[in-house]
Structure formats: structure tokens, C-alpha cells
Amino acid sequence: MPTATDSTPPPDVVDRLYGGDQDEFVPARTAAAKALRVEGHRAEAAAVEALRKPTVAAAAVNRVVRAEPKLLDALLAAGEGLREVQLAAGSAADLRAAVAAESAALDAIVRAAAKAGGGEATLAKVRETLHAAALDPALAAEVRAGALAKEAQAVGFPLGIAVPAQRARPRTQPAQAPRADPAAEKRRQKAEADAARASEELAAANASRASSRSAAAAVS
């Protein structure tokens, strides 16, 4: 029997709204809320009315992840590999390989998104959102659902990765400080330098791709 205690929008309604045409989002949302209210689901209707219309970039992300689930799986797997290498302070070679794999997977899904149209600015936001999802498991789950309302950005260091709390080193000071290990310190410094260099290489590669796209657009 319908009740007024539900406070979240029905999943099927969310899926239908964010999987539909962006231009039809508002009238479809209004119709869905009205139907729920007629059935007595007043709280659910209010939750549906509170759903935000997706931005142009978010709608593009929703379309491509729904249309190309295998490309999304490949990107998220590459992102997980990159996170593991960085958090484990892997070698420079491993880091470069992981960066290249994530970048290639990102290129593939962004190319798929470009087929549906969208200007350069929109595609840049699509790329940034998908890159952020590859590096952030929580955002990855949201992106996989295909119901984003707003684009996202990668945050953290390096390459947008924030170290999980359970893997962060405790801040408490030990009773007796261990003796310095020069070799370990050199390894740590080298790992940090390698990570920073990989970050710079990825930024340069992204900038180069953006420049190439701009040049191609100008020619056409």
C-alpha cells in the first residue's frame, strides 16, 4: 500500500531520467513526480523533484558509460592499477606503464563520447570527470550508475590520488625515533621524484592532445 514515508527517488525513475534526453529531463521529472504523488508516494515525489538536471558534460558522461560499459570497465581497471602502483611507491617503469595504460583507456572512452557530438570544452570536462572516476573508487561507482548531475575533477597528489585513511601513516610520535636509514631515504626521494615526473608527463600529454584537437578543429 502506498505510504508517505519513502524519502528516496525510485531507482527506476532515476535511471529513466538520467538515461534519457537532457532536454527532456525537466518535463520527465515533473511527470514522474506527479505520478508518484497521485499514487500516494508524496515523499518519493518530493525526492524526484529534488533531482538535479545534469549539466551538458555530465549528460555526455552518462551517455557514454551507458553505451560503452566495456570501455568504462577498462578505464576503471587501469585506474585501479595506477592507484596501486602509486600507493605502493612502485618503480618508475611501473609508474610510467600504469600512467600510459590509464591514459590509453581514457582516450578510448573519450573518443566514444566525441562520436555523440559536443564541443571541445564539453569533451574536456568529460575527460576530466572520467579521469577523476578512474582514480576515485567512490566517484567510479557514481559514474558507473550513469546518473551524474555534474562533472567532477581529480583532486589529490599525485595524479589526483588521495591516500586512503586506513593506509595513511599514523601521526603519533614513537617513544624512540628510529635511526635514519640513508638508503631508505634515497628510495623515498626517488619514488617521489618519479611520481612527480610521471604527473608532469601525463599533464604534458593531455595538453598535447588538447592542442592537436584545437588545430584539427581550426582546419575543419
Side-chain angles (χ1 to χ4, degrees):
M1 181 177 180
T3 71
T5 59
D6 298 317
S7 59
T8 57
D12 61 317
V13 174
V14 174
D15 186 65
R16 185 170 70 251
L17 291 177
Y18 287 96
D21 192 307
Q22 186 201 21
D23 293 335
E24 297 298 322
F25 183 91
V26 172
R29 180 184 61 190
T30 300
K34 181 179 180 180
L36 287 167
R37 189 167 286 108
V38 168
E39 294 172 359
H41 296 285
R42 293 188 296 276
E44 279 190 325
V48 168
E49 289 176 330
L51 292 173
R52 296 168 55 193
K53 178 181 178 180
T55 63
V56 173
V61 171
N62 293 338
R63 284 195 300 271
V64 75
V65 300
R66 289 166 179 268
E68 301 289 351
K70 290 184 178 180
L71 291 181
L72 178 63
D73 287 343
L75 172 63
L76 298 184
E80 181 179 359
L82 176 54
R83 289 197 309 273
E84 288 302 314
V85 170
Q86 290 188 292
L87 294 175
S91 69
D94 288 342
L95 186 57
R96 283 194 295 270
V99 167
E102 193 269 347
S103 182
L106 183 59
D107 285 344
I109 194 167
V110 172
R111 282 196 299 270
K115 293 178 181 178
E120 184 175 336
T122 295
L123 289 176
K125 292 177 181 178
V126 168
R127 170 179 287 276
E128 180 68 12
T129 299
L130 291 170
H131 176 52
L135 304 179
D136 182 345
L139 179 59
E142 294 181 34
V143 167
R144 189 184 290 280
L148 282 185
K150 184 176 176 57
E151 60 271 14
Q153 291 184 327
V155 295
F157 174 85
L159 298 179
I161 296 178
V163 179
Q166 64 270 27
R167 298 184 65 168
R169 294 184 180 181
R171 295 181 179 274
T172 55
Q173 184 69 23
Q176 181 178 3
R179 289 184 299 175
D181 184 345
E185 178 63 16
K186 287 183 178 180
R187 289 195 297 272
R188 183 188 66 79
Q189 292 177 353
K190 182 176 183 301
E192 290 182 352
D194 288 341
R197 185 165 53 252
S199 180
E200 292 173 357
E201 290 175 356
L202 180 60
N206 286 338
S208 178
R209 282 192 292 271
S211 177
S212 297
R213 289 194 298 271
S214 298
V219 171
S220 60

